[in-house]
Amino acid sequence: MPQDPHPLHAFVRKIEHHSQLTAAEQDAILSLPCSIRNFPPNRHMVREGSAVDGCYVLMSGYAFRSKIAGTGARQIMAVHVKGDAVDLQNAVLPWADHDVHALNQVEAAYIQIDAIHAMMAQHPGAARAIWRDTLIDGAVEREWVVNVGRRDAVARVAHLFCELVTRQEAAGLGRSGAYDMPLTQEAIGDCTGLTSVHVNRMLQRMRSEGLITLRGRELRVEDWDRLTRVADFQPEYLFVEANARQVA
Amino acid sequence: MPQDPHPLHAFVRKIEHHSQLTAAEQDAILSLPCSIRNFPPNRHMVREGSAVDGCYVLMSGYAFRSKIAGTGARQIMAVHVKGDAVDLQNAVLPWADHDVHALNQVEAAYIQIDAIHAMMAQHPGAARAIWRDTLIDGAVEREWVVNVGRRDAVARVAHLFCELVTRQEAAGLGRSGAYDMPLTQEAIGDCTGLTSVHVNRMLQRMRSEGLITLRGRELRVEDWDRLTRVADFQPEYLFVEANARQVA
DNA sequence: CGCCGGTTTGAGTCCATTCAAGAGGAGTGG
DNA sequence: CCACTCCTCTTGAATGGACTCAAACCGGCG
């Protein structure tokens, strides 16, 4: 398996999905000093309430953002794939408002926030692109509000799968129709506001209706069109093909 | 009633809740060219899917962001008060991923996004503060995911009220314990992922338990402590007192 | 082999919805 | 001033979707 040329390569590639970068801006981002850190499965990367002085860019593995309600119930509001800046939000905010958690073995590049700010001051175009990138995370979170607030159980799970698949595609991950499914049924419940028991029943329904197969940590989509219809999935909010319609 | 000295005054005041601005940075923001626009109650300010070349800052009145699910159900993911930049997200994104809607009579200052970008290139400190401001909107949306995903009906409604009250306080709006309640019960349902019928029942419960009184468009909090406990409300995510703990 | 985390199944309960109808209040026009 | 309309709020009864609480099953792994 070929190594990516640079730890931040996938990050630049992702940004170019929604913003055009000049060669100088690409270089400026790739030149950001960063250190590689590894996290074992199920390990906290950032804790809510802590002050954060940098951000992680995922090089491999999966991570999620979550908060814990007063009852102790966990709510996941984003799942991240290779190339995502998982924690820029927390670094720019005065303190972290949410947890970041590694799902499986994670390799991440850590960048000091000061270096990012300095680079942005030099390169307004790159600044705009990175700002936009953080706002796309916001757009995704808004769609999650809709998912949890206004869709029934099957649709919620199906929608989550559609998003996961689309993001893996965009990151160049899904090979031959098979995708990674890093979430347990418990975690799927925490994404969708359901219990793991009910998630299990929805999965069986989706399997019996020929929408997906899900074995172990491998997800296969059997009927993408019907899956998106069940899910009420409109991929625009992910902004993975935005370059064409881009304003400036 | 005294007039604010400048259309963007409330905006600067809000930013200073979470970021320190130099006098020059304040001036730079206040010098942004803007035009005043008015919207009647229940009027769209921005439509999902449209390309947006600027953003509105609320001078008076209330607005909300929403998306429509495939079933036709509406989900509201943010309510905005005086001083909020209601549409910076949509202006920085390639196109609007959500609607913005005026709740009542709204007066807003419209700023071209190009002017904002130009100002930010000149004033990195202001850039950082505005970036942070948009990310705080994200933090609020994350808390909404938790609210609709992981709290029961009373808590959801109570939490919404706590947020609304706290934001009005921060904007200098609630006088003598009475706050504006610009949302209909239908709209409260769209905020919380409930039906208006069920919202009505939760309101009666909250009234009978002496938590609030709600008559017409006026909300009174009768017992803030118990209300926040019922709501599972932790105000940190709003970052209205962040200056003290601020990192840089 | 025995453990352990994750998945599956079942039965009973309850929270929130649906559907429907009525009441209140504000604004409009005759 | 009244009649009329529209919108919002209120109430009731019945339904159902998702939850709870268990227990059993399964596969991987030490």
Side-chain angles (χ1 to χ4, degrees):
Chain A
M1 197 184 250
Q3 199 67 21
D4 265 349
H6 189 286
L8 299 181
H9 178 258
F11 180 49
V12 169
R13 229 181 124 256
K14 188 211 169 191
I15 288 179
E16 288 187 310
H17 273 116
H18 56 75
S19 299
Q20 279 155 5
L21 295 173
T22 65
E25 288 160 358
Q26 287 185 35
D27 284 349
I29 295 175
L30 290 173
S31 304
L32 285 167
C34 62
S35 57
I36 312 299
R37 299 193 190 175
N38 288 285
F39 296 89
N42 209 27
R43 172 72 54 89
H44 269 278
M45 298 174 69
V46 179
R47 262 174 216 283
E48 178 178 345
S50 61
V52 175
D53 70 341
C55 90
Y56 293 106
V57 170
L58 279 194
M59 297 166 61
S60 67
Y62 294 86
F64 64 83
R65 303 161 186 257
S66 64
K67 296 185 82 166
I68 308 290
T71 56
R74 181 176 66 174
Q75 176 68 46
I76 296 176
M77 55 276 295
V79 177
H80 286 291
V81 308
K82 173 181 147 192
D84 288 353
V86 294
D87 206 32
L88 211 31
Q89 276 78 5
N90 281 338
V92 174
L93 292 173
W95 61 82
D97 75 301
H98 62 277
D99 295 324
V100 179
H101 218 94
L103 269 167
N104 46 21
Q105 187 66 37
V106 158
E107 191 183 15
Y110 188 74
I111 316 173
Q112 296 281 127
I113 187 65
D114 289 344
I116 294 175
H117 279 134
M119 187 276 291
M120 285 169 86
Q122 295 297 315
H123 299 272
R128 205 180 306 192
I130 288 179
W131 187 17
R132 180 181 273 184
D133 197 69
T134 60
L135 295 191
I136 289 175
D137 281 342
V140 174
E141 282 156 3
R142 281 188 285 277
E143 184 63 35
W144 280 51
V145 179
V146 176
N147 201 40
V148 177
R150 287 299 184 206
R151 295 198 182 101
D152 63 22
V154 218
R156 288 189 211 179
V157 176
H159 196 278
L160 173 65
F161 286 5
C162 287
E163 178 178 320
L164 229 50
V165 162
T166 306
R167 298 183 77 155
Q168 286 187 37
E169 284 281 0
L173 283 173
R175 48 226 156 283
S176 70
Y179 301 91
D180 297 327
M181 181 58 233
L183 301 163
T184 64
Q185 295 183 4
E186 183 87 40
I188 295 172
D190 290 343
C191 290
T192 51
L194 302 168
T195 58
S196 62
V197 173
H198 203 56
V199 166
N200 182 279
R201 291 178 172 130
M202 296 304 104
L203 289 177
Q204 289 175 50
R205 185 139 114 210
M206 289 166 72
R207 280 191 273 240
S208 77
E209 289 177 358
L211 297 173
I212 57 158
T213 55
L214 178 59
R215 282 189 54 77
R217 292 282 165 267
E218 188 190 81
L219 169 69
R220 270 171 197 284
V221 176
E222 301 298 341
D223 189 333
W224 176 250
D225 281 352
R226 262 172 56 231
L227 184 65
T228 56
R229 239 173 297 132
V230 168
D232 181 27
F233 180 71
Q234 234 77 30
E236 286 77 20
Y237 74 97
L238 290 169
F239 293 95
V240 287
E241 298 296 344
N243 250 326
R245 291 178 57 185
Q246 189 174 334
V247 184
Chain B
M1 193 183 254
Q3 199 67 22
D4 266 350
H6 188 285
L8 299 181
H9 177 256
F11 181 48
V12 169
R13 228 181 126 256
K14 188 210 169 191
I15 288 178
E16 288 187 310
H17 273 115
H18 56 76
S19 299
Q20 279 155 4
L21 295 173
T22 65
E25 287 160 359
Q26 287 185 34
D27 284 349
I29 294 175
L30 290 174
S31 304
L32 286 167
C34 63
S35 57
I36 312 299
R37 299 192 190 176
N38 288 284
F39 296 90
N42 207 27
R43 172 70 56 86
H44 270 278
M45 296 175 69
V46 179
R47 262 173 217 284
E48 178 178 344
S50 61
V52 175
D53 70 342
C55 90
Y56 293 105
V57 171
L58 279 196
M59 298 167 59
S60 68
Y62 294 85
F64 64 84
R65 304 161 186 259
S66 64
K67 297 185 78 166
I68 307 290
T71 56
R74 181 176 68 174
Q75 177 67 46
I76 296 176
M77 56 276 296
V79 176
H80 286 291
V81 308
K82 172 181 148 191
D84 289 353
V86 294
D87 206 33
L88 210 32
Q89 275 77 5
N90 282 337
V92 174
L93 292 173
W95 62 82
D97 75 302
H98 62 278
D99 294 324
V100 180
H101 220 92
L103 269 168
N104 46 20
Q105 186 68 36
V106 158
E107 190 184 16
Y110 188 75
I111 316 173
Q112 296 282 128
I113 187 65
D114 289 344
I116 294 176
H117 279 133
M119 186 276 291
M120 286 170 85
Q122 294 296 314
H123 299 273
R128 205 180 305 190
I130 289 179
W131 187 16
R132 179 180 274 184
D133 197 69
T134 61
L135 295 191
I136 289 176
D137 282 342
V140 174
E141 282 156 5
R142 281 188 285 278
E143 184 62 36
W144 281 51
V145 179
V146 176
N147 203 38
V148 288
R150 287 298 182 206
R151 295 200 182 100
D152 63 22
V154 216
R156 288 189 211 180
V157 175
H159 196 277
L160 173 64
F161 286 4
C162 286
E163 178 177 322
L164 227 51
V165 163
T166 305
R167 299 183 76 154
Q168 286 186 37
E169 284 282 2
L173 283 174
R175 48 224 157 286
S176 70
Y179 301 92
D180 296 327
M181 180 59 233
L183 300 163
T184 64
Q185 295 183 5
E186 182 87 38
I188 295 172
D190 291 343
C191 290
T192 51
L194 302 168
T195 58
S196 62
V197 172
H198 202 56
V199 167
N200 183 279
R201 290 174 176 138
M202 296 304 104
L203 289 178
Q204 289 176 50
R205 185 138 115 210
M206 291 166 70
R207 279 191 275 238
S208 77
E209 288 177 359
L211 296 173
I212 56 160
T213 54
L214 178 58
R215 280 189 55 76
R217 292 283 165 264
E218 189 190 79
L219 170 69
R220 269 171 197 284
V221 177
E222 301 297 342
D223 190 333
W224 176 249
D225 282 352
R226 264 173 54 231
L227 184 65
T228 56
R229 237 173 298 131
V230 168
D232 180 29
F233 180 71
Q234 234 75 31
E236 287 77 20
Y237 75 97
L238 291 168
F239 293 95
V240 287
E241 298 297 342
N243 250 325
R245 290 178 56 186
Q246 189 174 332
V247 182

